[in-house]
Amino acid sequence: MPTTGTTSLSHLLSRRAAGETTSLDGTWKAIPDPYDVGGFSILGPARDGWFRDRKPQHPAERIEYDFDGSLDLEVPGDWNTQIPELHYYEASLWYRRRFTTTEEKSGRTFVHFGAVNHSCTIYLDGDMLASHEGGYGPFAVEITGRIGAGEHSLVVLVDCIRKPERVPAMRTDWFNFGGLHRSVDLVRVPSTFISSAWITMGVDGSLVGEVNVDGGAPTTARLEIAELGWSLEVKTNERFTVSATDVPEHERWHPGTPRLYEVVFDAGDDRVVDLVGFRTVETRGSDIVVNGEVVFLKGISMHAEGPTGGKRASGAEDAATLFDWAEELGANFVRLAHYQHDEAMVAEADKRGVLAWVELPVYWGIEWSNEATLANTLEQADELVLRDRCRPSVVLWSVANETFPGDERTAFIGSLIERVRSLDPTRLVTCALFTLPGQGIETHIEDPLGELIDVIGVNQYYGWYYSERAEIASKRWTSDWGKPIIFSELGAGAKHGNHGDDGEIWTEEFQAAVYEAQIEMIAANDDCAGLSPWILKDFRTPMRVLPGIQDGYNRKGLVSEEGEKKLAYDVLRSWYVSLG
């Protein structure tokens, strides 16, 4: 299903000051449709499908669905953990929400979706408006002129079917949570409105940004940071640069000391307000440098799964708890894998002064030669960058994870790298390479993607999937490019509360011993600029089926699925604290 009738419009929500925003979160009615009969009959597309949200008009009328008598699902949220019978459901499901409006005001109106997994078609009052493909990025659908005074029916057909041509594709080592898993809002804006507005700092200390408007004039916009007594007039729909010598005196946003300023963007009758921090990020040989200082990335990886209950994470409360655990660990860096996370996650990183790696779901088994697959992945790249290129915490755009080398693969990912850099020339680009260890003590990284990216991410599992633990400390990693290396994944599995000898797999002692050996190795690798071990907490995945141990969870977390800390958590925390 190609994406039609939608736009990223990433600034319509938290950074919207003018206009009116109405939340459509809460209880929606829902009908599972495993045979896809809601939109089709045996003769083809149904003219009177479930999207009509009809009731019988007379006693003899046959209508074989009823939203009012069907399931209740909370939005935002996944359907898998709300209804036990839908735990492994990967098919179509119809959502319906009715809302009432007064007479439509002047200006324009959109329905904004934080994210819908994986694909959806949107209907309003029985009319199809748009479709969207991709389960993790924000998008909006215009409904201007369609909502007069009265009650309206918003129906969204969602499916989370795994398909070879999709991104991600058929198999992932995380749970395929389906549904409207992020917020839905009704947003009203002026007839000509700010569709995106961003400002960030380039490596030379200059400011780079854009104010884009939709709907015609005006041709100029104004930026203001009142706290600095600074304002700037710029052309709309055109990238601007403020030289370093003209940037007002300010405090830098820095890891551990997150200085944020309120920036107001004005264009015509519209206004957008954002909190922005200014910092530089670059590489210098094998180092990562923030604001001119070498920073060793003391990181941890995270999935977008809530602190308890094994459900999709959503909102500021979940983000705060996850970052509490990361901060207690001593982390100054998080890898938000393997897809775009909730906006609350990057906002929390901004607020706490934690650097972030954000990622596209380019994972195992992608159809590299499929042009439609590439086109949709480029759309997902747009959604990722357009939403978060104002965030000072975001320093690394990751375009892939664990892909096997090949000409088609490299060309596909090369296109993503070009798109990301065109949208944001100020940050670093990376990906997590699938690099198997060499035969001796040295592993030489040869994946051709290493030449295209700024920072080399390496997923390695010495002591778990291969190699003996006693060999780990002597291992060395090199490349021909002299670039920083981040160990983007490492670790071992353990079930919380399972204790024994450190030679006994699945025990906390075994996991802790692997971490101790990995720390010794990393400390001796000069090109290593940081790490983001796998992973903060245990998370759901249908791949992990060992009864009594995994039970549907990947057990590599440093805390359990209910937030209970394992021994390895303290091993890593002690090392991070010792590094200062």
Side-chain angles (χ1 to χ4, degrees):
M1 177 178 64
T3 296
T4 60
T6 67
T7 176
S8 291
L9 293 178
S10 58
H11 292 270
L12 282 179
L13 288 179
S14 61
R15 298 183 277 283
R16 173 62 50 192
E20 179 184 348
T21 299
T22 302
S23 175
L24 297 181
D25 290 349
T27 303
W28 291 51
K29 304 302 293 186
I31 308 174
D33 188 10
Y35 278 17
D36 289 315
V37 299
F40 294 89
S41 70
I42 60 173
L43 301 177
R47 297 181 61 186
D48 199 21
W50 299 357
F51 49 87
R52 300 290 186 195
D53 189 17
R54 291 191 60 223
K55 289 286 191 180
Q57 300 301 299
H58 55 80
E61 185 175 11
R62 177 178 54 82
I63 294 179
E64 296 186 64
Y65 69 94
D66 179 17
F67 277 108
D68 290 336
S70 297
L71 301 175
D72 288 337
L73 284 175
E74 294 302 309
V75 174
D78 62 85
W79 64 56
N80 313 84
T81 57
Q82 295 189 54
I83 308 291
E85 292 79 8
L86 299 180
H87 184 72
Y88 286 117
Y89 186 75
E90 292 183 309
S92 298
L93 186 143
W94 297 77
Y95 283 86
R96 191 222 53 199
R97 170 68 188 261
R98 287 183 176 159
F99 62 93
T100 301
T101 60
T102 58
E103 184 176 353
E104 187 169 13
K105 301 176 182 178
S106 60
R108 297 165 68 178
T109 306
F110 293 84
V111 181
H112 186 282
F113 296 85
V116 180
N117 191 39
H118 173 272
S119 298
C120 65
T121 305
I122 299 100
Y123 304 86
L124 181 67
D125 296 333
D127 294 330
M128 198 276 272
L129 300 182
S131 63
H132 183 266
E133 176 111 14
Y136 304 101
F139 62 95
V141 180
E142 185 161 14
I143 59 172
T144 303
R146 294 178 175 270
I147 54 166
E151 186 178 62
H152 301 279
S153 172
L154 178 64
V155 174
V156 185
L157 171 61
V158 181
D159 81 69
C160 65
I161 302 168
R162 290 172 292 117
K163 297 181 179 180
E165 68 272 17
R166 287 186 168 178
V167 178
M170 292 297 293
R171 192 170 71 156
T172 61
D173 192 9
W174 72 82
F175 201 87
N176 186 25
F177 291 109
L180 305 177
H181 61 107
R182 295 184 189 149
S183 288
V184 182
D185 292 85
L186 193 67
V187 183
R188 294 185 175 90
V189 294
S191 297
T192 297
F193 67 97
I194 299 171
S195 57
S196 69
W198 63 286
I199 186 170
T200 192
M201 181 163 278
V203 66
D204 61 354
S206 62
L207 298 181
V208 181
E210 290 177 62
V211 180
N212 296 311
V213 298
D214 188 298
T219 58
T220 61
R222 186 172 183 270
L223 290 70
E224 182 179 16
I225 305 177
E227 189 174 353
L228 299 179
W230 181 77
S231 63
L232 177 71
E233 187 172 285
V234 300
K235 293 182 179 180
T236 57
N237 302 336
E238 184 177 308
R239 188 164 297 177
F240 65 81
T241 301
V242 179
S243 67
T245 56
D246 293 328
V247 173
E249 185 176 345
H250 62 280
E251 297 175 42
R252 292 286 179 93
W253 184 100
H254 197 76
T257 54
R259 186 64 163 92
L260 296 169
Y261 292 95
E262 183 178 271
V263 181
V264 178
F265 302 87
D266 277 303
D269 295 329
D270 202 12
R271 168 174 287 194
V272 169
V273 179
D274 204 352
L275 285 175
V276 178
F278 302 109
R279 54 97 193 97
T280 62
V281 59
E282 60 186 313
T283 63
R284 189 182 299 157
S286 60
D287 292 325
I288 292 175
V289 179
V290 179
N291 296 325
E293 298 179 15
V294 175
V295 176
F296 185 79
L297 303 184
K298 302 181 293 183
I300 192 67
S301 294
M302 295 184 184
H303 262 303
E305 193 166 298
T308 62
K311 59 187 177 181
R312 171 63 74 220
S314 178
E317 186 175 345
D318 282 352
T321 300
L322 293 171
F323 271 86
D324 282 346
W325 293 341
E327 272 199 330
E328 185 182 345
L329 186 65
N332 63 5
F333 169 62
V334 292
R335 179 189 179 198
L336 302 180
H338 286 297
Y339 41 77
Q340 188 165 4
H341 283 223
D342 190 321
E343 193 167 9
M345 292 290 282
V346 287
E348 196 71 20
D350 277 0
K351 183 173 71 174
R352 297 192 186 221
V354 176
L355 300 168
W357 157 319
V358 298
E359 189 161 301
L360 290 170
V362 178
Y363 200 76
W364 304 334
I366 301 297
E367 289 193 346
W368 305 119
S369 61
N370 189 321
E371 292 184 4
T373 300
L374 175 59
N376 178 251
T377 311
L378 290 169
E379 290 179 0
Q380 293 191 49
D382 291 349
E383 291 167 351
L384 178 75
V385 177
L386 291 177
R387 196 194 75 179
D388 292 339
R389 61 184 171 178
C390 227
R391 309 274 61 81
S393 59
V394 175
V395 292
L396 287 160
W397 302 117
S398 174
V399 292
N401 177 80
E402 290 187 0
T403 61
F404 291 96
D407 291 344
E408 289 181 336
R409 184 282 317 244
T410 302
F412 186 107
I413 294 178
S415 296
L416 297 178
I417 292 169
E418 289 179 8
R419 177 64 68 87
V420 167
R421 285 186 172 139
S422 72
L423 293 171
D424 174 29
T426 72
R427 289 172 173 82
L428 306 174
V429 178
T430 188
C431 61
L433 302 180
F434 187 72
T435 305
L436 292 174
Q439 294 299 312
I441 66 169
E442 180 180 306
T443 296
H444 191 66
I445 303 166
E446 298 178 341
D447 190 319
L449 282 178
E451 186 172 358
L452 303 181
I453 56 183
D454 302 305
V455 175
I456 299 170
V458 172
N459 291 357
Q460 56 87 9
Y461 284 97
Y462 281 131
W464 184 246
Y465 291 124
Y466 42 75
S467 187
E468 297 298 322
R469 188 194 311 157
E471 301 172 357
I472 298 175
S474 65
K475 299 294 184 181
R476 299 294 179 266
W477 294 78
T478 60
S479 79
D480 289 334
W481 302 293
K483 297 177 179 180
I485 295 173
I486 294 175
F487 290 108
S488 40
E489 291 184 27
L490 61 90
K495 184 172 182 179
H496 177 265
N498 187 27
H499 292 285
D501 186 85
D502 68 10
E504 183 182 350
I505 200 167
W506 302 115
T507 64
E508 291 191 40
E509 287 77 8
F510 186 103
Q511 184 188 43
V514 169
Y515 267 81
E516 289 168 349
Q518 286 275 356
I519 288 168
E520 190 175 352
M521 180 200 73
I522 292 167
N525 273 263
D526 294 336
D527 288 346
C528 178
L531 65 158
S532 53
W534 196 255
I535 186 170
L536 179 65
K537 67 177 291 289
D538 293 349
F539 60 93
R540 289 190 190 272
T541 166
M543 285 182 57
R544 311 295 177 167
V545 300
L546 183 62
I549 298 293
Q550 293 172 321
D551 298 317
Y553 280 88
N554 186 309
R555 295 296 181 190
K556 295 188 184 72
L558 297 180
V559 300
S560 76
E561 71 272 25
E562 294 302 316
E564 303 153 308
K565 295 181 177 65
K566 304 177 190 178
L567 294 176
Y569 184 96
D570 287 328
V571 170
L572 187 62
R573 176 172 58 185
S574 294
W575 185 53
Y576 281 171
V577 169
S578 74
L579 295 176

